[in-house]
Amino acid sequence: MTIHSNGYRDIHHCDVLIVGAGPTGLTLAIELARRGISYRIIDKCAHPSIYSKALGVMARTLELLHQAEVADTLIAQGHQVTGMQASSYTKVLAQVEFPSLIQSPYPYVLMVPQNITEQVLIDRLTALGGTVERQTELISLHQGDQEHSQVHAIVQHMAGDAQLEEEISARWIVGCDGAHSTVRHLSGIPFEGEALAQSFALADVQIDWKQDHNKLHVYLNKGYLTAFFPMLNHRHRVIIGMPPEYVISSSKDQSISLADIQAVLDICLPIKVNMSNPIWLAKFAVHQRKVKNYRTGSIFLAGDAAHIHSPIGGQGMNTGIQDAFNLGWKLALVCQGYAAESLLDSYHAEREPIGQQLLRGTSLFTKLATTRHSVPIAIRNTVAPLLSSRKVIQKRLFRLLSETGIAYDRSPIVQQGKGWHRPMLHAGERVPDGGYGQSPRHTLLLFAGEHPVIPSPKPPTLEDDIDEPDHRSLLTQVAVKWKDIIDVHILLPDHPLMTSLPLPSHIHVDADHDLHQRYGMGKAGYVLIRPDGYISYIGGLSDEMDLIGWVHRSFQIPARL
């Protein structure tokens, strides 16, 4: 630090201060680092966690992590689960195979311990020149009176044996610091919800059984729940759920033992399953809580700091990572001067409904799984096999599980042109291939039709006035004015295009019309894709001027250019 003898304190500045270096905070730091944004990421722990914690990485998360160039590394250290079976004691309620249910490069659930996920993200951040400031704790923060003012934070960190204080002035602060978020607490933001009556426990163990190691297995019985998540090296994560009156019998301090977990397994399973070699045992309560506002002025909350819920479905870490991807590119555009601060309001508009749906869904499934009443159990055991055997229901459920069904169709920052028509995809939908390349910018896809006319862009001159109305064609404007924000890809249906046009783009031949079919483009049109792989704008070629207007309203040229 730097508190001088006269009481004067040095103030250090950055665009974004990230509090918490779990998967959510690390992902946000990577997204900012990829775009050259000034940030700092702090964590009060001296070292990353050694525990496996969150385990399942879903398809949509892997698609996004591919854009951050870490998916392949993560996949190499995980175990791919391609199916699921749920049973009520001896009765099979559902049995599905994942690869047939989804169009994604990752049609499975990747089982990889959270400590490995964090290390992969840390390595990527390091490669980008970033570092986590550990043993650094947020102890106070103050936001100015104006709605979008700077945030002044005091952090305390260790320097040898001494505790030093530092003041940081940031344009934005993002709390990624978990369920007990200091950012949320210091900001006075309510965390509303309730604790579930059931208690839960987990164990990472070896299991001696003959079940398929590539499948998730869930067993229910008499209000008890047991779920088996396969891991590498023939290990499993076992999660048990117990009714509130269940008493842990093996220890006076209410900690959990392997014998306690074995007792619940014996209740849930129609077969004897023996566990051995535990490397982690933990008992935990489950809360269903969420903040009302993901943004309060210059303060944002993401991941468990904004929402916590039942572990059923393995959605927690994935939702936090996707919060970070949603917020990262928006913060970057605003920090770089390419977008107005109002863009940041869309973070709450888009992600809060996802958190709300998540709490409702996990609460419902938890109650259905752990009900002890005979009538609901009889209905569940009768209806579930009938519904789960239908392909359309399987696809819908896996879209929820994999999070590939998330869409922002009601977002204020997506739009469909007047030339939109079926079977085109809707604005706000996830693009069908999960993303377009690894660019940190927006991507404009021009489905050019049979005889595209592509003008040559007028080179920019010193006499150009960017404040004057710009009547040049869309491609010309993208090539000249918006090249730092939008990449262009021209897709031809069946023949190459010979042109000397110096566009910052690629020309592709979609000879089998695969991309045309995926995007619902019978002939020609525009698709503008956000950096997080969702459609910003979609329409026909007749919507060129409408799209130009949309781009001008959405982006701006920084004064420094």
Side-chain angles (χ1 to χ4, degrees):
M1 170 126 230
T2 332
I3 298 183
H4 301 284
S5 58
N6 60 3
Y8 170 75
R9 174 188 282 128
D10 286 345
I11 300 178
H12 299 98
H13 300 270
C14 64
D15 284 326
V16 183
L17 174 62
I18 304 169
V19 182
T24 301
L26 289 168
T27 300
L28 180 58
I30 289 169
E31 288 303 284
L32 296 176
R34 290 175 67 209
R35 294 166 171 85
I37 304 304
S38 168
Y39 73 93
R40 290 175 66 176
I41 177 170
I42 65 172
D43 195 287
K44 64 183 179 181
C45 296
H47 307 285
S49 174
I50 62 172
Y51 296 112
S52 52
K53 295 185 179 180
L55 194 63
V57 183
M58 302 303 171
R60 182 63 188 134
T61 305
L62 287 171
E63 291 172 355
L64 292 167
L65 291 175
H66 169 73
Q67 296 180 31
E69 301 182 41
V70 298
D72 290 345
T73 304
L74 202 61
I75 291 167
Q77 300 186 59
H79 177 69
Q80 298 177 21
V81 173
T82 57
M84 183 272 290
Q85 179 175 304
S87 303
S88 179
Y89 204 59
T90 59
K91 185 178 182 64
V92 176
L93 303 179
Q95 186 166 303
V96 296
E97 300 294 332
F98 298 154
S100 63
L101 302 179
I102 184 176
Q103 279 191 339
S104 172
Y106 313 103
Y108 49 80
V109 179
L110 182 70
M111 293 297 170
V112 56
Q114 181 176 322
N115 57 313
I116 292 178
T117 299
E118 289 186 10
Q119 190 57 56
V120 169
L121 293 171
I122 289 169
D123 291 344
R124 175 61 176 145
L125 184 61
T126 302
L128 291 166
T131 186
V132 176
E133 299 176 44
R134 296 203 171 272
Q135 292 183 285
T136 303
E137 183 175 3
L138 177 69
I139 58 175
S140 73
L141 64 84
H142 171 72
Q143 184 174 200
D145 295 334
Q146 296 182 358
E147 184 179 356
H148 305 304
S149 62
Q150 295 270 325
V151 177
H152 295 275
I154 304 296
V155 302
Q156 191 175 76
H157 58 89
M158 298 299 297
D161 295 330
Q163 284 189 336
L164 302 179
E165 289 186 359
E166 176 187 0
E167 183 171 350
I168 300 173
S169 176
R171 293 182 65 185
W172 320 100
I173 182 169
V174 186
C176 304
D177 47 345
H180 303 288
S181 169
T182 301
V183 172
R184 189 186 65 236
H185 175 72
L186 292 175
S187 305
I189 299 172
F191 202 34
E192 299 175 350
E194 61 182 2
L196 298 184
Q198 294 82 5
S199 58
F200 292 82
L202 63 81
D204 286 352
V205 295
Q206 287 186 328
I207 295 178
D208 181 19
W209 70 352
K210 295 182 180 180
Q211 297 282 30
D212 187 346
H213 196 66
N214 295 319
K215 286 187 177 181
L216 303 170
H217 293 273
V218 179
Y219 292 89
L220 315 173
N221 194 28
K222 300 177 181 179
Y224 293 82
L225 172 149
T226 303
F228 298 86
F229 300 87
M231 304 163 67
L232 285 179
N233 303 318
H234 301 286
R235 302 191 70 86
H236 278 79
R237 157 75 55 79
V238 180
I239 291 181
I240 61 170
M242 301 158 283
E245 72 271 12
Y246 183 79
V247 177
I248 300 296
S249 59
S250 63
S251 61
K252 295 181 180 179
D253 62 358
Q254 289 289 291
S255 62
I256 200 79
S257 72
L258 205 58
D260 294 316
I261 294 177
Q262 184 69 59
V264 175
L265 264 60
D266 292 342
I267 294 172
C268 285
L269 274 65
I271 58 175
K272 183 68 174 178
V273 173
N274 294 315
M275 301 177 292
S276 61
N277 299 323
I279 58 175
W280 188 33
L281 297 167
K283 184 185 175 192
F284 57 96
V286 170
H287 292 254
Q288 298 274 117
R289 299 187 186 278
K290 189 181 72 64
V291 296
K292 285 186 177 180
N293 297 301
Y294 283 30
R295 178 190 183 188
T296 303
S298 298
I299 300 170
F300 298 86
L301 297 172
D304 287 353
H307 45 73
I308 55 173
H309 49 83
S310 167
I312 285 183
Q315 304 291 288
M317 179 182 70
N318 293 273
T319 304
I321 289 174
Q322 292 180 46
D323 287 345
F325 272 103
N326 185 284
L327 181 58
W329 67 268
K330 297 172 182 178
L331 279 172
L333 283 179
V334 173
C335 289
Q336 293 167 332
Y338 289 125
E341 289 186 10
S342 58
L343 173 65
L344 300 176
D345 292 333
S346 68
Y347 170 63
H348 169 84
E350 293 181 345
R351 294 305 296 173
E352 190 278 336
I354 302 303
Q356 187 67 33
Q357 293 168 17
L358 183 60
L359 264 66
R360 285 199 300 262
T362 54
S363 177
L364 174 62
F365 278 106
T366 301
K367 290 176 181 178
L368 286 173
T370 59
T371 181
R372 292 168 287 158
H373 302 293
S374 58
V375 173
I377 288 175
I379 294 174
R380 179 194 70 194
N381 292 356
T382 301
V383 174
L386 297 176
L387 292 178
S388 67
S389 63
R390 300 178 60 189
K391 202 73 169 181
V392 64
I393 299 297
Q394 291 183 8
K395 286 184 177 181
R396 186 168 183 177
L397 288 175
F398 191 61
R399 278 167 59 85
L400 289 173
L401 176 67
S402 65
E403 302 194 358
T404 55
I406 290 174
Y408 304 128
D409 51 308
R410 296 184 180 181
S411 169
I413 61 167
V414 304
Q415 182 175 325
Q416 289 175 187
K418 294 179 180 178
W420 180 92
H421 57 82
R422 296 186 184 279
M424 289 181 181
L425 296 181
H426 291 265
E429 282 191 86
R430 158 189 169 267
V431 297
D433 41 11
Y436 206 93
Q438 294 175 318
S439 172
R441 293 177 289 276
H442 282 65
T443 299
L444 177 64
L445 300 184
L446 165 58
F447 291 85
E450 296 296 330
H451 303 289
V453 178
I454 303 178
S456 298
K458 179 175 74 72
T461 66
L462 293 177
E463 290 75 26
D464 283 342
D465 186 346
I466 62 173
D467 293 324
E468 288 296 317
D470 194 337
H471 301 291
R472 293 176 294 179
S473 74
L474 174 64
L475 288 183
T476 301
Q477 292 193 45
V478 170
V480 176
K481 181 184 266 188
W482 306 109
K483 58 182 173 56
D484 293 328
I485 304 173
I486 303 173
D487 294 330
V488 179
H489 292 262
I490 302 172
L491 301 172
L492 305 177
D494 54 16
H495 60 277
L497 181 69
M498 303 303 295
T499 178
S500 58
L501 185 64
L503 288 174
S505 62
H506 299 282
I507 298 175
H508 310 273
V509 178
D510 187 25
D512 58 3
H513 286 210
D514 177 58
L515 285 177
H516 282 72
Q517 291 175 7
R518 288 191 185 190
Y519 286 82
M521 289 289 178
K523 293 183 178 180
Y526 297 106
V527 181
L528 184 62
I529 302 171
R530 302 171 4 168
D532 57 355
Y534 292 91
I535 295 174
S536 281
Y537 185 100
I538 186 167
L541 284 186
S542 62
D543 290 320
E544 178 179 4
M545 294 308 298
D546 187 46
L547 178 53
I548 288 174
W550 188 91
V551 169
H552 277 266
R553 291 191 300 273
S554 300
F555 307 120
Q556 60 192 26
I557 299 297
R560 65 179 180 272
L561 291 185

